[in-house]
Amino acid sequence: MTSAQRRLIVPIVCLVLGVAMLGTTAFLTLRQRGDLSAPLPAAIGGPFALIDQDGKALTDRDLLGKPFLVFFGYTHCPDVCPTTMFELTEAFKALGPDKKITGLFVTVDPERDTAPVLKDYVSNFDPRIQAATGPRESIDRVMKTYRVYARRVPGEGEDYTMDHSAIVYIMDKQGRFVSALNTQLKPEDMAKELARYL
């Protein structure tokens, strides 16, 4: 090894050791403050501006102050959506009518799910569940913030269905995502899970 090569190795080794020391210092500092044990908030949810089933403006700020559930679906859905809405209704009933919690059904099919259509649809479920629609671009934005997948599947003639995510998001009083609700549980067990955030 030449003397020139030796002169190059020394600063490289110093640099590597310096980076390692900085990393160790940062790790120890975070551990002392407890930041490593605290999970980072998931990047799910966020601001939105939609229209509720009564044709009124509805934003994420209107839901703050109490926990709320968010579920994406559409009124022409033959199975998953009505089943999930029924399960949420049963869980809300198990919680009791005085519990401050709301649900939001956001359509992935705004072309058919107008405010009057949604009003008729949610009238079949717990009154604490409201619905939201809006222009396609607004729906696409809120779907993106909740990481929701949806696409149109052609049917016969002009008919179609929507292939979409079927997650029920639990949001806390500050509008932060905390968990996905397991709708396979019994209503009483779902109610116990939701009660944790009241």
Side-chain angles (χ1 to χ4, degrees), residues 134-149:
R136 169 48 69 184
E137 56 269 24
S138 298
I139 295 296
D140 287 344
R141 274 196 297 272
V142 72
M143 283 172 51
K144 185 175 181 180
T145 63
Y146 279 86
R147 299 184 181 183
V148 170
Y149 161 84

Side-chain angles (χ1 to χ4, degrees), residues 5-179:
Q5 288 173 325
R6 281 194 213 98
R7 282 196 300 272
L8 272 175
I9 288 174
V10 172
I12 291 171
V13 169
C14 289
L15 178 64
V16 169
L17 289 173
V19 169
M21 286 176 62
L22 281 172
T24 302
T25 303
F27 174 82
L28 292 173
T29 302
L30 288 171
R31 189 171 69 178
Q32 281 180 336
R33 289 186 357 205
D35 290 356
L36 290 178
S37 60
L40 293 173
I44 294 176
F48 61 79
L50 299 171
I51 299 166
D52 72 9
Q53 71 271 18
D54 294 316
K56 298 177 182 176
L58 176 72
T59 73
D60 56 295
R61 294 183 297 279
D62 297 317
L63 302 176
L64 301 183
K66 52 191 168 187
F68 59 95
L69 307 180
V70 181
F71 175 63
F72 290 80
Y74 66 113
T75 63
H76 286 72
C77 180
D79 40 40
V80 174
C81 301
T83 300
T84 302
M85 292 288 279
F86 174 76
E87 289 162 346
L88 296 183
T89 293
E90 292 300 297
F92 278 19
K93 283 180 183 175
L95 268 174
D98 60 326
K99 297 301 182 184
K100 303 299 183 185
I101 187 169
T102 58
L104 181 64
F105 176 83
V106 181
T107 182
V108 296
D109 184 20
E111 290 78 15
R112 292 185 294 190
D113 288 344
T114 60
V117 170
L118 288 174
K119 185 168 187 174
D120 181 61
Y121 186 73
V122 295
S123 68
N124 298 296
F125 307 106
D126 190 283
R128 287 169 286 185
I129 302 175
Q130 53 190 323
T133 187
R136 169 48 69 184
E137 56 269 24
S138 298
I139 295 296
D140 287 344
R141 274 196 297 272
V142 72
M143 283 172 51
K144 185 175 181 180
T145 63
Y146 279 86
R147 299 184 181 183
V148 170
Y149 161 84
R151 75 176 179 89
R152 185 181 294 199
V153 179
E156 293 184 11
E158 295 184 3
D159 192 24
Y160 62 89
T161 59
M162 298 293 294
D163 184 18
H164 65 93
S165 308
I167 299 169
V168 177
Y169 302 90
I170 305 175
M171 313 301 286
D172 69 11
K173 297 176 183 180
Q174 288 76 44
R176 298 172 303 199
F177 171 73
V178 290
S179 183

Side-chain angles (χ1 to χ4, degrees), residues 173-193:
K173 297 176 183 180
Q174 288 76 44
R176 298 172 303 199
F177 171 73
V178 290
S179 183
L181 181 64
N182 182 359
T183 56
Q184 302 302 310
L185 297 173
K186 294 179 180 178
E188 297 77 13
D189 293 329
M190 278 194 282
K192 287 177 185 176
E193 172 67 16

